[in-house]
Coordinates of all heavy atoms in Angstrom, one line a residue:
K17 N -3.6 30.4 -17.1 CA -2.4 31.3 -17.2 C -2.0 31.5 -18.7 O -1.8 32.7 -19.1 CB -1.2 30.6 -16.5 CG 0.1 31.3 -16.8 CD 1.3 30.6 -16.0 CE 1.9 29.4 -16.8 NZ 2.8 29.8 -17.9
N18 N -1.9 30.4 -19.4 CA -1.4 30.5 -20.8 C -2.4 31.2 -21.7 O -2.1 31.5 -22.9 CB -1.1 29.1 -21.3 CG 0.2 28.6 -20.7 OD1 0.9 29.3 -19.9 ND2 0.5 27.3 -20.9
L21 N -2.4 35.5 -20.2 CA -1.2 36.3 -20.5 C -1.3 36.8 -22.0 O -1.0 38.0 -22.3 CB 0.1 35.6 -20.3 CG 0.3 35.1 -18.8 CD1 1.5 34.2 -18.8 CD2 0.5 36.3 -17.9
K22 N -1.7 36.0 -22.9 CA -1.8 36.3 -24.3 C -3.0 37.3 -24.5 O -2.9 38.2 -25.4 CB -2.0 35.1 -25.2 CG -1.3 33.8 -24.8 CD 0.2 34.1 -24.6 CE 0.9 32.9 -24.0 NZ 0.9 31.7 -24.7
R89 N 8.9 34.4 -19.9 CA 9.0 34.2 -21.4 C 7.8 34.6 -22.2 O 7.9 35.1 -23.3 CB 9.4 32.7 -21.6 CG 9.9 32.5 -23.0 CD 10.2 31.1 -23.3 NE 10.9 31.0 -24.5 CZ 10.3 30.9 -25.7 NH1 9.0 30.9 -25.8 NH2 11.0 30.8 -26.8
A90 N 6.6 34.5 -21.6 CA 5.4 34.8 -22.3 C 5.4 36.3 -22.7 O 4.5 36.8 -23.4 CB 4.2 34.5 -21.5
I115 N 13.3 24.6 -19.0 CA 12.7 23.5 -19.8 C 13.2 23.5 -21.2 O 12.5 23.4 -22.2 CB 11.2 23.4 -19.7 CG1 10.5 24.7 -20.1 CG2 10.7 22.9 -18.4 CD1 9.0 24.6 -20.2
S117 N 15.9 24.8 -24.5 CA 16.0 26.0 -25.3 C 14.7 26.1 -26.1 O 14.2 25.2 -26.7 CB 17.2 26.0 -26.2 OG 17.1 24.9 -27.1
R118 N 14.1 27.3 -26.2 CA 12.9 27.4 -26.9 C 13.1 28.6 -27.9 O 13.2 29.7 -27.5 CB 11.7 27.8 -25.9 CG 11.5 26.7 -24.9 CD 10.9 27.2 -23.6 NE 9.4 27.3 -23.7 CZ 8.6 27.6 -22.7 NH1 9.1 27.9 -21.5 NH2 7.3 27.6 -22.9
G119 N 13.1 28.2 -29.2 CA 13.5 29.2 -30.2 C 12.4 30.2 -30.4 O 11.3 30.1 -30.0
L120 N 12.8 31.2 -31.2 CA 11.9 32.3 -31.6 C 11.8 32.3 -33.1 O 11.2 33.2 -33.7 CB 12.4 33.7 -31.1 CG 12.1 34.0 -29.6 CD1 12.6 35.4 -29.4 CD2 10.7 33.9 -29.3
D121 N 12.5 31.3 -33.8 CA 12.6 31.4 -35.2 C 11.3 31.3 -35.9 O 11.1 32.0 -36.9 CB 13.5 30.2 -35.7 CG 13.1 28.9 -35.1 OD1 12.7 28.8 -34.0 OD2 13.2 27.9 -35.9
L122 N 10.3 30.6 -35.4 CA 9.0 30.5 -36.0 C 8.2 31.8 -35.9 O 7.5 32.2 -36.8 CB 8.2 29.4 -35.5 CG 8.9 28.0 -35.6 CD1 8.1 26.9 -34.9 CD2 9.0 27.6 -37.1
H123 N 8.4 32.5 -34.8 CA 7.8 33.8 -34.6 C 8.4 34.8 -35.6 O 7.6 35.5 -36.3 CB 8.1 34.4 -33.2 CG 7.7 33.5 -32.0 ND1 6.7 34.0 -31.1 CD2 8.1 32.3 -31.6 CE1 6.6 33.0 -30.2 NE2 7.4 32.0 -30.5
A124 N 9.7 34.8 -35.7 CA 10.4 35.7 -36.6 C 10.0 35.4 -38.1 O 9.7 36.3 -38.8 CB 11.9 35.6 -36.4
F158 N 6.3 23.8 -37.4 CA 5.9 23.0 -36.2 C 4.7 23.9 -35.6 O 4.8 25.1 -35.6 CB 7.1 23.0 -35.2 CG 6.7 22.3 -33.9 CD1 6.8 20.9 -33.7 CD2 6.3 23.1 -32.8 CE1 6.4 20.3 -32.5 CE2 5.9 22.5 -31.6 CZ 6.0 21.1 -31.5
P159 N 3.7 23.2 -35.1 CA 2.5 24.0 -34.6 C 2.8 24.7 -33.2 O 2.3 24.3 -32.2 CB 1.4 23.0 -34.5 CG 2.1 21.7 -34.3 CD 3.4 21.8 -35.0
S160 N 3.8 25.6 -33.2 CA 4.1 26.3 -32.0 C 3.0 27.2 -31.5 O 2.4 28.0 -32.3 CB 5.4 27.2 -32.3 OG 5.4 28.3 -31.5
V161 N 2.7 27.1 -30.2 CA 1.6 27.9 -29.6 C 2.0 29.4 -29.7 O 1.2 30.2 -30.2 CB 1.4 27.4 -28.1 CG1 0.4 28.3 -27.4 CG2 1.0 26.0 -28.1
G162 N 3.2 29.7 -29.2 CA 3.6 31.1 -29.1 C 3.6 31.8 -30.5 O 3.2 32.9 -30.7
A163 N 4.2 31.0 -31.5 CA 4.3 31.6 -32.8 C 2.9 31.8 -33.4 O 2.6 32.8 -34.1 CB 5.2 30.7 -33.7
E165 N 0.2 32.4 -31.9 CA -0.5 33.5 -31.3 C 0.1 34.8 -31.8 O -0.6 35.8 -32.1 CB -0.3 33.4 -29.7 CG -1.1 32.3 -29.2 CD -0.7 31.9 -27.7 OE1 0.5 32.2 -27.3 OE2 -1.5 31.2 -27.1
E186 N -4.4 24.5 -29.7 CA -4.6 24.5 -28.3 C -5.9 25.3 -28.0 O -6.2 26.3 -28.7 CB -3.5 25.1 -27.5 CG -2.4 24.2 -27.1 CD -1.6 23.5 -28.2 OE1 -1.8 23.8 -29.4 OE2 -0.7 22.6 -27.9
R230 N -6.8 24.2 -18.0 CA -6.8 22.8 -18.2 C -5.6 22.1 -17.5 O -5.7 21.0 -17.1 CB -6.9 22.4 -19.7 CG -5.8 22.8 -20.5 CD -6.0 22.7 -22.0 NE -5.0 23.4 -22.7 CZ -3.9 22.8 -23.3 NH1 -3.8 21.5 -23.3 NH2 -3.0 23.6 -23.9
T301 N 2.4 18.7 -22.5 CA 3.7 18.7 -21.9 C 3.7 19.2 -20.5 O 4.4 18.7 -19.6 CB 4.8 19.4 -22.7 OG1 6.0 19.4 -22.0 CG2 4.4 20.9 -23.0
G302 N 2.8 20.1 -20.2 CA 2.7 20.7 -18.8 C 2.3 19.6 -17.8 O 2.6 19.8 -16.6
M324 N 7.9 17.7 -26.8 CA 7.7 19.1 -27.0 C 9.0 19.9 -26.6 O 9.4 20.9 -27.3 CB 6.5 19.6 -26.2 CG 5.2 18.9 -26.5 SD 4.7 19.4 -28.2 CE 4.2 21.1 -27.9
F325 N 9.6 19.6 -25.5 CA 10.7 20.4 -25.0 C 11.8 19.5 -24.6 O 11.6 18.4 -24.1 CB 10.3 21.2 -23.7 CG 9.4 22.3 -24.0 CD1 8.0 22.2 -23.6 CD2 9.7 23.5 -24.7 CE1 7.1 23.2 -23.9 CE2 8.9 24.5 -25.0 CZ 7.5 24.4 -24.6
E326 N 13.1 19.9 -24.9 CA 14.2 19.1 -24.5 C 14.4 19.4 -23.0 O 13.9 20.4 -22.5 CB 15.5 19.5 -25.3 CG 15.4 20.9 -25.8 CD 16.7 21.4 -26.5 OE1 17.8 21.3 -26.0 OE2 16.5 21.9 -27.6
R328 N 13.2 18.3 -20.3 CA 12.1 18.5 -19.4 C 11.9 17.3 -18.5 O 10.8 16.8 -18.3 CB 10.8 18.9 -20.1 CG 9.8 19.6 -19.1 CD 8.6 20.0 -19.8 NE 7.9 21.0 -18.9 CZ 6.9 21.7 -19.2 NH1 6.3 21.5 -20.4 NH2 6.3 22.6 -18.4
Ligands
UD1_501 C1 3.4 27.4 -24.6 C2 3.0 27.4 -23.1 C3 3.7 26.2 -22.4 C4 3.3 24.9 -23.0 C5 3.7 25.0 -24.5 C6 3.3 23.8 -25.3 C7 2.7 29.7 -22.6 C8 3.1 30.9 -21.8 N1 3.4 28.6 -22.5 O1 4.8 27.6 -24.7 O2 3.2 26.2 -21.0 O3 4.0 23.9 -22.4 O4 3.0 26.1 -25.1 O5 2.0 23.5 -25.2 O6 1.6 29.7 -23.2 N2 9.9 26.3 -31.0 C9 10.9 26.6 -31.9 N3 10.9 27.8 -32.5 C10 9.9 28.8 -32.3 C11 8.9 28.5 -31.3 C12 8.9 27.2 -30.7 O7 11.8 25.8 -32.2 O8 9.9 29.9 -32.9 C13 9.9 25.0 -30.3 C14 10.2 25.2 -28.8 O9 11.6 25.2 -28.7 C15 9.6 23.9 -28.3 C16 8.4 23.7 -29.2 O10 8.6 24.4 -30.3 O11 10.4 22.8 -28.3 C17 7.1 24.1 -28.5 O12 7.0 25.5 -28.3 P1 5.7 26.3 -28.3 O13 4.6 25.5 -28.8 O14 6.0 27.6 -29.0 O15 5.5 26.6 -26.8 P2 5.4 28.0 -26.0 O16 4.5 28.9 -26.8 O17 6.8 28.5 -25.7

Side-chain angles (χ1 to χ4, degrees):
K17 167 180 88 77
N18 288 351
L21 299 172
K22 321 310 172 60
R89 193 178 191 277
I115 51 174
S117 63
R118 299 157 84 174
L120 284 184
D121 50 323
L122 302 172
H123 301 243
F158 177 87
S160 152
V161 173
E165 291 164 340
E186 270 67 4
R230 63 193 165 101
T301 178
M324 300 291 288
F325 292 107
E326 26 178 308
R328 203 178 197 174

